[in-house]
Amino acid sequence: MADEPEEEGEGEAEDEAGDDGEVKSGVLAAVDDVAGKASQAEREVAAEEEKIANEDEEAAEKQEGAAKFAERIHERILGEVKEVKEVEDIEDRDARKLRVG
């Protein structure tokens, strides 16, 4: 009988150790879950950053295209203005010749 309380104590110690193991594995699972959520959040942030960078690049390309279009239009308008000016100069010269002549 003297051994019985000692054996009972060992059984409780094993039970407690078993509980600690369950708690520890539960904590580790929770840590893994938090780590997994953090890495998922990091991936989502990286994907969003890449999306924004691509949108910025597309916007820059559109802006560049608009600038080139405006430049071509401007050159065309300037060319037409230059042609009109040349025609006016010719008309003025002809009108002077008629007055002198």
Side-chain angles (χ1 to χ4, degrees):
M1 290 207 163
D3 291 333
E4 288 178 22
E6 188 176 315
E7 289 175 11
E8 188 176 311
E10 287 176 11
E12 285 179 27
E14 288 175 8
D15 288 343
E16 286 180 19
D19 289 344
D20 286 346
E22 289 175 20
V23 171
K24 287 180 184 177
S25 66
V27 169
L28 291 176
V31 169
D32 287 344
D33 188 42
V34 170
K37 286 180 181 177
S39 64
Q40 179 182 358
E42 289 174 0
R43 286 190 301 274
E44 289 173 2
V45 168
E48 184 65 23
E49 288 174 352
E50 184 175 349
K51 178 182 173 189
I52 290 169
N54 288 338
E55 289 171 353
D56 288 347
E57 186 177 341
E58 288 175 15
E61 289 172 0
K62 287 179 182 178
Q63 190 173 19
E64 183 180 355
K68 288 180 179 181
F69 175 77
E71 184 178 341
R72 286 192 309 271
I73 296 297
H74 185 71
E75 288 172 355
R76 180 175 287 170
I77 291 170
L78 287 178
E80 290 174 6
V81 168
K82 184 178 177 183
E83 288 174 11
V84 168
K85 179 72 173 147
E86 289 172 354
V87 169
E88 288 174 349
D89 289 346
I90 291 169
E91 288 173 350
D92 287 345
R93 188 180 67 216
D94 290 345
R96 279 188 237 127
K97 283 183 182 178
L98 289 174
R99 282 189 231 137
V100 174

